[in-house]
Amino acid sequence: MMQNSEAATPVRRYLALSFPFLPIDRLRIMRPDLWAVGADGADGDGPAIVVEAVRGAMRLAAVDADGLTIGLTPGMMLADARAREPDLRVFDADPHADQDWLERLCDGCARYTPNAAPDGADGLMLDISGCGHLWGGEEALAAEAAARLARHGLRVRHAIAGSPEAAHALARFPGPPAPDEDAAVRRLPVEALGLEADSAVALRRAGLRTVGDLAARPAAGLAARFGEAAVDALHALLGMGHRPLSPRRPRPAVRIDRRFAEPLGSTAYALKILEEMAAEAGERLAERGEGGRRFEAVFFRSDGLAFPLRVETSLPVRDAPAILRLMRERIDALSDPIDPGFGFDMLRLTVPQAERLAPTQLALEGGEARREDSVAALVDRLSIRAGRARIQRLAASDSHIPEQAQLALPAVESRAPENWPKSREVAGDPGDPPMRPLHLFDPPQPIEVVAQVPDGPPHRFRWRRTLHDIIRFEGPERIAPEWWKAKDGAIEGESSGRTRDYYRVEDARGRRYWIFRHGLYGAEEAHPGWYIHGLFA
């Protein structure tokens, strides 16, 4: 019996959430102190607007519902808006804060589907394929998501369709009820295609006012007159093209969820549940012969917000107490503690990154013979407390430029072991002075040098307003630039590197320095500069 290929193909369903007043709602929810008077200090109950500087003029970036009713629109001059309504509450635009807020909302929507992503600057797109039955149907899922966001104070529009483009357009261009999804898409205005304003005007002048009007015309004629972009946008709306959704969070190696009929009002109790989830995650990782390098716990509040906690380890682990210890360190390092609010109704623990972890040998007296590396555990805790980029380790780099011969990387990052190049003085007499100083300046610091001849050794130099008389020197040691890398070896924004002549010098007080002349006299530079690069012990 032949199987229908269309029936075997999974049907994709997408839920679009649109926030038409996202900047206004964020200020009202997150900044109630500022919301009372506005950024300009004007007290009033008039419409709220968000302004930004565009080409030296203040224009409206967002308008609330009251402003729209009196004719205020985004892009209008602030002076014109004040002439129409003097009693305005004006706020400065903050796109970064709006984006952070949108990403937090996206993390909160992970309770409905693991495939959630921001949709532009004012919406979210959720792939709810196969998730509707968990909530009593896709319409019930959409209604619950919209109601949860509305309880939090957000004004939201939603729509469900078989493609992200159709769901995006239906959520932003609501209209009267339609008999089916295809009819709803075809009655959308041509602005729903997302084309440039000039293209939308040209379509209307040609008598094409809706998506259905365009769909009734031959695609070749539309492409010849209005461009391929119009045809591609039309096909995407009608579901003829497939654009996969890129979720904000990639699919983890392990994911464990805990849902609660009654929200948890205590963070401490939530951490106890999280420890049980970490133990279960460790068992799953042990079955796969792996250990986690990154762990993420998400506390879903009943009002729709989500609080993610992320920890990273320098070695693969699957020990639940060790994971919880790092989670507690992360909580203690937060400037704003986790507020349960009305309670957590869901906890999620994921392992985004896992690596191979071999079984450990048991000791004769009991217990594991291989203990957790104490240095790695210390690095993990310090990285969480001070910040991932604060605790660093040095890694060898294939470069003969002194300041580029090693790299400072976060200590928790995994990196293949590399062999450090042997020092030049290893082959010499152990009593000889070192060829390289223990301390390097990056970038090298400029100095004033007096030399007997322009291309000769230094006689004295001034550094940090102090004059140093040189009584001994060794050199020069010439280090040429890496010609295959145009900017390597350059100093202070130079476009290309120059040859360096290094000298090991000793002043009258017995202090030793590593200085160099930057550029060959006459060939590369008329007046080469001098720099101090390091200090010998």
Side-chain angles (χ1 to χ4, degrees):
M1 180 177 181
M2 297 183 63
Q3 185 178 4
N4 190 350
S5 60
E6 295 183 358
T9 302
V11 178
R12 312 302 302 181
R13 301 296 290 170
Y14 297 91
L15 169 62
L17 299 173
S18 173
F19 308 101
F21 309 108
L22 179 67
I24 305 294
D25 291 341
R26 180 186 65 81
L27 290 169
R28 180 166 47 84
I29 297 171
M30 301 299 294
R31 297 296 306 274
D33 55 334
L34 186 62
W35 177 260
V37 296
D40 57 353
D43 189 7
D45 297 330
I49 61 174
V50 175
V51 298
E52 62 180 349
V54 179
R55 297 180 180 178
M58 299 302 295
R59 294 184 178 272
L60 276 60
V63 183
D64 67 353
D66 295 336
L68 293 176
T69 57
I70 63 174
L72 302 182
T73 57
M76 179 183 293
M77 297 280 292
L78 176 59
D80 297 337
R82 286 194 183 278
R84 181 168 298 186
E85 176 57 57
D87 191 15
L88 291 176
R89 285 178 292 178
V90 182
F91 304 92
D92 294 329
D94 192 348
H96 296 289
D98 294 339
Q99 183 66 24
D100 292 341
W101 178 252
L102 187 63
E103 291 177 356
R104 289 186 62 183
L105 294 176
C106 184
D107 292 338
C109 289
R111 69 176 69 236
Y112 306 111
T113 173
N115 298 326
D119 184 22
D122 61 348
L124 300 175
M125 187 64 64
L126 282 63
D127 184 353
I128 59 173
S129 305
C131 302
H133 68 281
L134 300 175
W135 304 87
E138 60 182 28
E139 293 294 343
L141 187 155
E144 200 282 335
R148 184 183 294 273
L149 293 169
R151 288 196 300 269
H152 190 58
L154 285 166
R155 285 163 287 188
V156 58
R157 299 170 182 168
H158 69 276
I160 301 176
S163 67
E165 294 81 3
H168 173 94
L170 291 172
R172 285 158 177 80
F173 296 90
D180 53 26
E181 180 182 321
D182 183 69
V185 172
R186 290 177 180 271
R187 60 133 174 91
L188 289 172
V190 292
E191 287 78 8
L193 295 172
L195 303 176
E196 299 292 337
D198 296 341
S199 300
V201 172
L203 289 171
R204 285 190 170 274
R205 288 178 178 175
L208 305 175
R209 300 181 179 276
T210 65
V211 173
D213 294 339
L214 271 72
R217 299 297 181 91
L222 293 176
R225 186 170 180 181
F226 303 105
E228 293 288 345
V231 178
D232 293 341
L234 175 64
H235 288 172
L237 274 182
L238 297 177
M240 299 179 184
H242 178 66
R243 180 177 66 89
L245 183 67
S246 298
R248 170 170 157 77
R249 302 290 182 193
R251 186 177 297 275
V254 175
R255 191 188 77 179
I256 301 175
D257 293 344
R258 289 287 188 276
R259 300 178 185 271
F260 309 102
E262 294 294 334
L264 304 179
S266 172
T267 304
Y269 185 69
L271 289 176
K272 292 183 179 179
I273 303 297
L274 187 62
E275 186 172 7
E276 299 177 1
M277 299 168 64
E280 182 179 348
E283 295 176 357
R284 294 190 186 181
L285 290 171
E287 293 175 357
R288 302 170 52 167
E290 296 178 338
R293 285 289 315 281
R294 294 180 183 175
F295 298 86
E296 179 175 349
V298 185
F299 298 76
F300 293 94
R301 263 184 10 184
S302 57
D303 58 3
L305 284 183
F307 295 88
L309 289 180
R310 303 177 184 89
V311 297
E312 188 175 2
T313 60
S314 53
L315 295 176
V317 298
R318 53 176 178 247
D319 183 41
I323 299 171
L324 255 293
R325 183 168 59 250
L326 295 179
M327 288 290 181
R328 293 181 185 275
E329 292 283 352
R330 173 64 70 193
I331 294 177
D332 295 339
L334 293 176
S335 58
D336 187 13
I338 296 179
D339 181 15
F342 294 102
F344 303 115
D345 60 354
M346 178 177 170
L347 296 180
R348 172 172 294 170
L349 178 65
T350 60
V351 186
Q353 180 180 357
E355 295 181 359
R356 185 68 183 173
L357 180 60
T360 56
Q361 176 66 40
L362 296 179
L364 295 177
E365 65 275 11
E368 293 183 355
R370 180 183 178 272
R371 299 295 182 183
E372 183 182 11
D373 189 349
S374 58
V375 176
L378 177 62
V379 167
D380 297 340
R381 298 184 64 181
L382 292 178
S383 299
I384 289 177
R385 286 191 176 186
R388 186 176 185 272
R390 295 293 185 88
I391 310 301
Q392 299 179 335
R393 62 179 178 85
L394 299 179
S397 178
D398 186 13
S399 176
H400 67 272
I401 305 299
E403 67 270 19
Q404 298 176 9
Q406 60 188 12
L407 301 175
L409 303 175
V412 296
E413 283 189 1
S414 61
R415 187 181 176 92
E418 298 180 359
N419 295 325
W420 286 85
K422 293 185 178 180
S423 179
R424 291 178 53 185
E425 57 262 20
V426 172
D429 189 352
D432 291 343
M435 298 292 295
R436 294 288 187 270
L438 295 178
H439 178 78
L440 288 180
F441 296 110
D442 188 16
Q445 300 184 8
I447 58 176
E448 300 177 6
V449 173
V450 176
Q452 294 180 353
V453 293
D455 57 350
H459 183 65
R460 65 170 59 93
F461 68 93
R462 185 183 300 276
W463 178 48
R464 295 179 179 176
R465 300 182 180 180
T466 302
L467 188 64
H468 300 266
D469 292 322
I470 298 175
I471 60 175
R472 295 184 182 90
F473 73 89
E474 290 182 349
E477 176 190 357
R478 178 160 295 179
I479 297 181
E482 296 179 342
W483 52 266
W484 58 94
K485 298 178 181 179
K487 294 185 178 181
D488 283 358
I491 298 177
E492 296 181 353
E494 294 179 356
S495 60
S496 61
R498 300 172 186 168
T499 304
R500 304 181 185 182
D501 284 341
Y502 279 86
Y503 292 88
R504 291 181 295 164
V505 301
E506 179 181 336
D507 65 3
R509 299 180 61 181
R511 294 174 294 191
R512 296 181 177 179
Y513 306 90
W514 202 37
I515 66 178
F516 68 91
R517 179 175 49 242
H518 194 222
L520 297 179
Y521 176 74
E524 296 179 351
E525 188 69 25
H527 301 284
W530 286 83
Y531 294 86
I532 181 170
H533 204 166
L535 305 176
F536 290 94

